[in-house]
């Protein structure tokens, strides 16, 4: 496993000096292209990959104006795409039975509560300023668990924008893809998500975490010591239908907390800038629920800054402590954990060589991320799988990954 962590990218480099595709992905993507041809016989499609992401620090801070530290995963969405001479669009997926066939001049007026709302929302946005654009046939697929806190939705949305812009002969512009992805998720699908996910998918670099200051949308790439720190992801297998509603509720609670705190913190433009002592002074007035939400946010702001200092100072143990403290706060103050995720974090934390563990993404199910020393990998998977099985009667998928770059086309 260690050699995979250190050497998985001995592959062709693309023009940005980044690996063209994660190891093993090229074959999988070509196989995806063959599936496309079974569904849509004709000339070979163009093949694209867009990564998922994991967030290491800055939990639920993006929509509170704080800073986040995500990384792209070497797993993600596959897109096989072929242009059409007319203005018809067909969206299909290897993961879903239902497909959408529609004319670009007669796009639906609103989302349908189906999987294809994600790519469709992106296309609705892009097509507004491209009245002459050609249609196409697309097959989506990939190797990212869906709805598991690894940003499968941003991966699909950014990938859709990237692939169609390439099809229409437009230059690679990460910001245009980010904008279209955000519009699709917020205005079409209706999730009031922050900016982190599409930024992470579109702008990540291997061997780095993205340091994204969300209020200003300013980013930089911080080196991540992949040789010294391994990252594991454990999927709790829990998927909550109410996640969207609960997520939007957290956003609304934070807005309300900020509205009440703002008169006491005139310099704070967002909840993430309210000083911790102001939250404490106003706790009674906020009431217990909003006080818990606000405490998580201001503590997480401080913890994320501490995590950066730890990373830059080479203090892996301190970095891991920050990650674990985030889980406690998400569990007790933000209340977005579930027993399965708490169990994974508890099991992982008991394993020698594990430095930190937390749920990642929005919560309410999905995955936990674990930071560990590479020499702790042997036996880790079995330990977590067995411990989880004793309580829940099934084994959770565990995988190891390394950071990846943004969306790409297979040459
Ligand atoms: C979801 C949202 C993100 C972010 C995270 C929590 O993934 O899409 O914008 O808020 O939850 O950190």
């Amino acid at each position: 496993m260690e050699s995979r962590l250190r050497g998985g990218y001995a592959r062709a480099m693309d023009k940005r000096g980044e690996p063209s595709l994660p190891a093993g992905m090229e074959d999988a993507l070509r196989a995806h292209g063959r599936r496309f041809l079974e569904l849509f016989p004709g000339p070979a499609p163009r093949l694209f990959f867009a990564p998922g992401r994991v967030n290491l620090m800055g939990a639920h801070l993006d929509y509170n104006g704080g800073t986040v530290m995500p990384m792209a995963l070497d797993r993600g969405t596959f897109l096989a795409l072929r242009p059409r001479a007319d203005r018809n669009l067909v969206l299909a997926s290897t993961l879903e039975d239902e497909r959408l066939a529609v004319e670009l001049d007669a796009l639906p007026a609103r989302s349908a509560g189906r999987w294809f709302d994600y790519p469709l929302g992106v296309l609705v946005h892009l097509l507004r300023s491209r009245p002459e654009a050609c249609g196409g046939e697309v097959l989506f697929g990939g190797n990212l668990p869906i709805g598991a806190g690894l940003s499968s939705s941003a991966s699909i949305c950014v990938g859709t924008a990237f692939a169609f812009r390439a099809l229409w002969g437009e230059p690679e512009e990460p910001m245009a893809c980010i904008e279209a992805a955000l519009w699709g998720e917020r205005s079409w699908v209706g999730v009031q998500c922050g900016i982190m996910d599409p930024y992470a998918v579109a702008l990540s670099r291997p061997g780095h975490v993205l340091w994204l200051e969300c209020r200003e949308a300013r980013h930089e790439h911080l080196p991540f010591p992949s040789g010294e720190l391994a990252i594991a992801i454990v999927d709790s297998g829990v998927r909550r239908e109410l996640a969207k509603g609960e997520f939007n509720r957290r956003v609304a609670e934070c807005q309300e907390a900020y509205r009440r705190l703002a008169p006491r913190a005139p310099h704070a433009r967002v909840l993430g800038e309210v000083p911790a002592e102001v939250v404490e002074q106003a706790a009674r007035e906020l009431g217990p629920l909003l006080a818990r939400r606000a405490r998580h946010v201001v503590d997480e702001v401080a913890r994320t800054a501490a995590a950066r200092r730890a990373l830059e100072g080479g203090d892996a143990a301190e970095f891991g402590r920050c990650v674990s403290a985030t889980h406690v706060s998400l569990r007790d103050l933000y209340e977005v954990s579930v027993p399965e995720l708490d169990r994974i974090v508890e099991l992982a934390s008991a394993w020698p060589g594990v430095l930190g563990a937390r749920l990642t993404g929005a919560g309410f199910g999905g995955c936990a991320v674990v930071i560990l020393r590479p020499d702790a990998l042997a036996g880790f998977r079995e330990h977590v799988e067995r411990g989880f099985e004793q309580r829940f009667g099934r084994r959770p998928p565990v995988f190891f990954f390394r950071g990846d770059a943004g969306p790409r086309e297979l040459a």
Side-chain angles (χ1 to χ4, degrees):
M1 186 50 62
E2 204 174 332
S3 63
R4 175 173 141 66
L5 283 165
R6 291 211 168 122
Y9 280 115
R11 303 185 67 77
M13 295 290 166
D14 72 8
K15 60 182 182 299
R16 289 171 295 193
E18 287 164 357
S20 55
L21 275 179
M25 207 69 97
E26 192 170 319
D27 294 342
L29 197 47
R30 288 197 195 286
H32 186 70
R34 289 193 291 276
R35 297 252 339 240
F36 174 94
L37 287 173
E38 288 164 18
L39 287 176
F40 304 107
R46 291 172 71 170
L47 299 172
F48 298 87
F49 170 75
R53 69 96 189 91
V54 62
N55 188 26
L56 300 184
M57 287 299 300
H60 287 271
L61 287 193
D62 56 351
Y63 56 86
N64 284 305
T67 299
V68 295
M69 294 174 82
M71 256 185 180
L73 293 168
D74 53 0
R75 288 186 170 222
T77 304
F78 300 164
L79 291 96
L81 170 57
R82 187 169 59 207
R84 289 181 59 103
D86 58 19
R87 287 188 32 93
N88 287 321
L89 173 71
V90 184
L91 302 176
S93 167
T94 56
L95 309 170
E96 307 279 345
D97 292 333
E98 205 166 14
R99 54 159 107 169
L100 176 78
V102 69
E103 236 224 281
L104 295 187
D105 300 303
L107 290 173
R110 64 186 63 82
S111 60
R114 306 276 198 275
W115 73 269
F116 48 70
D117 285 332
Y118 291 91
L120 183 61
V122 170
L123 290 169
V124 165
H125 181 72
L126 290 175
L127 287 162
R128 280 183 178 159
S129 51
R130 293 164 180 83
E132 306 297 324
C134 70
E137 280 137 1
V138 201
L139 180 65
F140 290 89
N143 55 3
L144 193 63
I146 302 294
L150 303 178
S151 221
S152 52
S153 54
S155 175
I156 291 174
C157 291
V158 170
T160 300
F162 185 88
F164 271 88
R165 285 176 51 91
L167 188 79
W168 297 329
E170 297 174 14
E172 258 184 49
E173 262 176 43
M175 281 318 298
C177 297
I178 290 168
E179 213 176 273
L182 278 174
W183 191 92
E185 281 218 53
R186 287 177 178 162
S187 304
W188 191 260
V189 178
V191 180
Q192 297 313 314
C193 58
I195 66 171
M196 169 172 74
D197 300 348
Y199 270 81
V201 170
L203 292 170
S204 284
R205 280 192 199 152
H208 293 78
V209 287
L210 190 71
W211 174 264
L212 175 63
E213 296 171 12
C214 297
R215 209 194 79 82
E216 316 284 356
R218 203 167 39 213
H219 74 276
E220 56 187 298
H221 295 94
L222 305 181
F224 187 81
S226 317
E228 291 154 46
L229 294 180
I231 300 182
I233 288 192
V234 187
D235 187 350
S236 71
V238 178
R239 304 285 185 270
R240 287 277 165 93
E241 282 308 317
L242 53 137
K244 176 173 150 186
E246 284 288 341
F247 180 83
N248 286 348
R249 195 181 348 258
R250 292 298 179 285
V251 176
E253 287 164 355
C254 287
Q255 285 165 349
E256 178 59 16
Y258 174 66
R259 200 183 60 77
R260 297 205 205 165
L261 290 166
R264 293 172 177 249
H267 301 298
R269 294 156 298 180
V270 283
L271 183 57
E273 286 178 352
V274 174
E277 42 306 349
V278 171
V279 174
E280 288 319 312
Q281 286 154 11
R284 282 179 70 113
E285 201 178 300
L286 285 173
L289 185 132
L290 293 186
R292 285 198 298 279
R293 306 298 188 249
R295 275 187 186 122
H296 165 76
V297 170
V298 298
D299 292 353
E300 183 71 0
V301 166
R303 256 192 309 271
T304 303
R308 176 180 178 151
R309 286 194 297 276
L311 207 56
E312 290 179 330
D315 190 346
E318 173 61 11
F319 182 77
R321 276 192 291 275
C322 293
V323 170
S324 293
T326 292
H327 184 79
V328 173
S329 183
L330 288 171
R331 184 191 64 198
D332 298 344
L333 299 180
Y334 220 62
E335 298 174 283
V336 292
S337 191
V338 294
E340 288 85 347
L341 285 167
D342 293 340
R343 180 70 179 143
I344 290 167
V345 167
E346 187 189 357
L347 285 162
S349 306
W351 186 249
V354 166
L355 302 174
R358 55 161 282 207
L359 73 85
T360 188
F364 317 106
C367 292
V369 57
V370 183
I371 313 287
L372 65 174
R373 297 203 185 275
D375 57 10
L377 287 170
F380 170 79
R381 182 199 302 263
E382 178 60 20
H383 163 75
V384 172
E385 285 183 355
R386 192 149 19 91
F388 188 93
E389 188 178 29
Q390 279 162 5
R391 169 90 63 89
F392 298 105
R394 59 187 167 82
R395 294 196 156 220
V398 178
F399 62 94
F400 302 99
F401 84 94
R402 49 173 298 162
D404 193 30
R408 278 146 288 171
E409 178 170 12
L410 183 64

